[in-house]
Amino acid sequence: MALWGGRFSQESSALFKLFNDSLPVDYRLIEEDIIGSIAWASAITSVGILTQAECEQLHGALNELLTEVADKPELIIASGAEDIHSFVEQSLIAKVGDLGKKLHTGRSRNDQVATDLKLWCKKEGQHSLTLLKKLSAELVKLAEREIDAVMPGYTHLQRAQPVLFGHWCLAYVEMFERDISRLEDALKRADTCPLGTGALAGTAYPMDRHQIAQSLGFAAPTLNSLDSVSDRDHVVELCSDASISMMHLSRMAEDLIFFNSGEAGFIELDDEVTSGSSLMPQKKNPDALELIRGKTGRVYGSLMGILTTMKALPLAYNKDMQEDKEGLFDVMDSWSICLEMAALVLSGLQVNRERTLAAAQQGYANSTELADYLVAKGMPFREAHHVVGEVVVAAIAKQTPLEDFVISELQQFSPIISDDVYECLTIESCLAKREALGGTSLAQVKYALAQKQANS
């Protein structure tokens, strides 16, 4: 029986029921709905609606129900209830009879679902925080192991300047630490309890909402009933935080896919996270990384979905908001598995140091060092930039690295070049000069690594 049937003289059509019912999606809120119902039973007991004995009976029946249906979604969905709230109430009535009908006194499905969803967001947000920290720690471990491996750094996907592989790892640590910070902030804003705000105007019973919030693990109750039942900022923020983090994961995946390619050959991915071809027996495909990159799009889609759903809704609750859960659930599932998979990929990754070093020595990555050398000799940088450009053109024509020019050849471009130039053109010199904070010198990367290890 529907929770709202008294006003109606006809049954809903089968099509409307299929269209309207949300149980196939919101069954995932079973634990949160039961926990909220336990708290509500205590709240209405405090204002005399239930006796203590009745409250204890309801608590026992609700806990029994949770045990029965935990990890058994098929039992919930097979009930044919309209939504998870209907399922819990009907199941409770089946267990304790008319006493179960008292539980909803002073409560609306509007504040009920708002509470359920915030509890779920808090739980899943904390899980994502744990996974983000695990991934960041895995990157720190990889940075420590491969701290001094030399590789080319890129701009426009062209070799630019040499960097250390540890520096590359720590760049993504910075990104994921920002994700952690954003998620922590979002969870603080989600830490207010809507229960007790009714359908939109508040409950008519003088209960202590601070106590209700505390019993459910919230920092405080919400302060406006209209906003409480219609607020979905926590859904939007989780989807937004996940989207930004997935963008970081996708960028890292793209880097590693390229590093793993035959053209680069910088890394070897573990068999655990790769697959083969049904036709070409030599193939070892970076499927885990490609799926991370691919799932990013569906997370973005869910963010746009909830933003579009909420953008023109009047206060307070509207049925449109039933569409808040499916996208959110998919976002958090996708984000979680991608974070776990990325950590697994990194744990088995091997760096081919010979290939990365050879690539760093190609592509005239030491051109900036030659320009800096000329500046140190007194030449204005813009003129030095032009001179080195001419040297690179000549080197490309000759198919030789800059350091293989003899001094007389270099002096054709500028007479201020002398024998000490060769000290500046080595990979070691290129790296060692990046001593400013945040640079890619070994000393700076070790310093940055020590900071991350100290904060982990």
Side-chain angles (χ1 to χ4, degrees):
M1 185 178 70
L3 302 183
W4 41 268
R7 165 66 176 79
F8 295 79
S9 56
Q10 288 183 283
E11 291 290 324
S12 300
S13 76
L15 178 60
F16 175 76
K17 181 172 171 55
L18 181 66
F19 189 62
N20 182 66
D21 291 0
S22 60
L23 190 65
V25 173
D26 64 21
Y27 74 87
R28 292 182 62 166
L29 299 176
I30 180 66
E31 181 179 350
E32 288 73 24
D33 200 75
I34 289 177
I35 289 170
S37 294
I38 289 171
W40 189 248
S42 297
I44 59 177
T45 299
S46 72
V47 294
I49 295 168
L50 297 177
T51 67
Q52 188 60 42
E54 287 175 323
C55 180
E56 290 174 4
Q57 189 178 356
L58 285 175
H59 282 187
L62 286 164
N63 281 312
E64 183 180 273
L65 177 61
L66 182 57
T67 300
E68 290 170 359
V69 299
D71 302 320
K72 295 177 183 175
E74 66 279 2
L75 297 180
I76 304 172
I77 296 171
S79 71
E82 179 181 345
D83 54 31
I84 192 60
H85 323 299
S86 303
F87 170 79
V88 170
E89 183 164 321
Q90 291 168 11
S91 300
L92 194 60
I93 291 169
K95 288 180 178 294
V96 298
D98 285 348
L99 174 58
K101 298 177 181 180
K102 290 185 176 183
L103 178 60
H104 206 57
T105 305
R107 182 175 66 167
S108 166
R109 283 190 296 180
N110 294 355
D111 64 336
Q112 190 176 357
V113 69
T115 303
D116 291 358
L117 196 55
K118 272 196 173 179
L119 285 169
W120 190 89
C121 285
K122 285 179 61 179
K123 178 182 71 177
E124 291 301 313
Q126 287 295 333
H127 179 60
S128 294
L129 267 180
T130 299
L131 295 178
L132 276 166
K133 291 174 181 177
K134 178 183 175 184
L135 175 58
S136 184
E138 201 64 57
L139 274 165
V140 168
K141 284 191 337 191
L142 182 59
E144 182 179 22
R145 172 160 58 89
E146 302 291 351
I147 189 168
D148 58 348
V150 180
M151 62 177 281
Y154 292 85
T155 62
H156 308 280
L157 207 55
Q158 297 185 75
R159 292 171 188 149
Q161 293 176 293
V163 297
L164 296 177
F165 194 86
H167 197 54
W168 177 90
C169 294
L170 295 178
Y172 283 101
V173 173
E174 294 290 330
M175 296 186 206
F176 294 127
E177 285 184 346
R178 292 195 295 273
D179 294 340
I180 290 168
S181 176
R182 265 185 290 270
L183 183 52
E184 288 173 339
D185 285 347
L187 290 175
K188 287 177 185 175
R189 281 184 288 278
D191 204 15
T192 54
C193 179
L195 194 58
T197 57
L200 76 161
T203 186
Y205 297 91
M207 53 191 59
D208 185 348
R209 290 193 59 234
H210 288 278
Q211 177 57 41
I212 296 173
Q214 184 178 18
S215 70
L216 287 171
F218 287 98
T222 55
L223 297 179
N224 183 285
S225 59
L226 285 170
D227 178 60
S228 296
V229 299
S230 61
D231 169 35
R232 293 298 184 270
D233 284 7
H234 42 290
V235 176
V236 174
E237 282 204 82
L238 277 184
C239 291
S240 175
D241 291 351
S243 294
I244 295 171
S245 182
M246 286 296 295
M247 177 264 290
H248 293 152
L249 283 167
S250 186
R251 291 185 70 185
M252 185 174 75
E254 172 64 17
D255 271 356
L256 292 174
I257 290 166
F258 169 64
F259 293 169
N260 184 67
S261 68
E263 283 67 26
F266 295 169
I267 63 170
E268 174 78 14
L269 296 174
D270 196 86
D271 288 355
E272 280 192 306
V273 295
T274 53
S275 73
S277 165
S278 61
L279 176 66
M280 298 165 283
Q282 83 280 11
K283 295 292 292 298
K284 185 177 180 182
N285 300 323
D287 283 9
L289 294 168
E290 290 174 346
L291 283 169
I292 289 171
R293 193 174 57 183
K295 287 180 183 292
T296 301
R298 67 191 290 166
V299 172
Y300 290 0
S302 293
L303 170 61
M304 292 310 300
I306 185 61
L307 284 170
T308 306
T309 296
M310 296 299 298
K311 76 175 182 64
L313 294 186
L315 289 175
Y317 182 81
N318 301 272
K319 190 70 168 183
D320 313 47
M321 293 162 69
Q322 183 169 291
E323 294 298 312
D324 59 359
K325 298 170 198 67
E326 191 169 7
L328 172 67
F329 293 164
D330 189 66
V331 163
M332 299 307 285
D333 290 346
S334 298
W335 190 17
S336 291
I337 197 167
C338 287
L339 288 168
E340 289 187 87
M341 187 54 61
L344 182 61
V345 168
L346 293 171
S347 69
L349 184 151
Q350 298 297 319
V351 176
N352 184 341
R353 287 171 171 247
E354 291 183 4
R355 288 288 293 267
T356 58
L357 177 60
Q361 290 170 329
Q362 298 167 5
Y364 307 103
N366 52 0
S367 297
T368 305
E369 271 53 54
L370 180 55
D372 288 343
Y373 169 85
L374 293 173
V375 168
K377 294 283 187 176
M379 184 181 292
F381 176 75
R382 190 52 56 204
E383 183 181 343
H385 187 284
H386 181 78
V387 168
V388 175
E390 292 179 329
V391 177
V392 170
V393 170
I396 291 171
K398 194 177 178 182
Q399 294 187 327
T400 186
L402 301 184
E403 59 269 27
D404 282 2
F405 276 120
V406 298
I407 194 64
S408 60
E409 291 175 312
L410 289 173
Q411 287 176 338
Q412 292 176 17
F413 299 97
S414 173
I416 65 174
I417 298 175
S418 58
D419 288 337
D420 59 352
V421 70
Y422 296 108
E423 299 170 11
C424 301
L425 298 180
T426 65
I427 287 288
E428 294 76 16
S429 174
C430 295
L431 292 167
K433 287 173 65 176
R434 268 62 197 174
E435 276 292 326
L437 182 66
T440 191
S441 72
L442 183 57
Q444 277 301 316
V445 176
K446 284 183 176 179
Y447 172 78
L449 180 61
Q451 300 299 305
K452 303 305 179 188
Q453 291 169 330
N455 293 330
S456 62

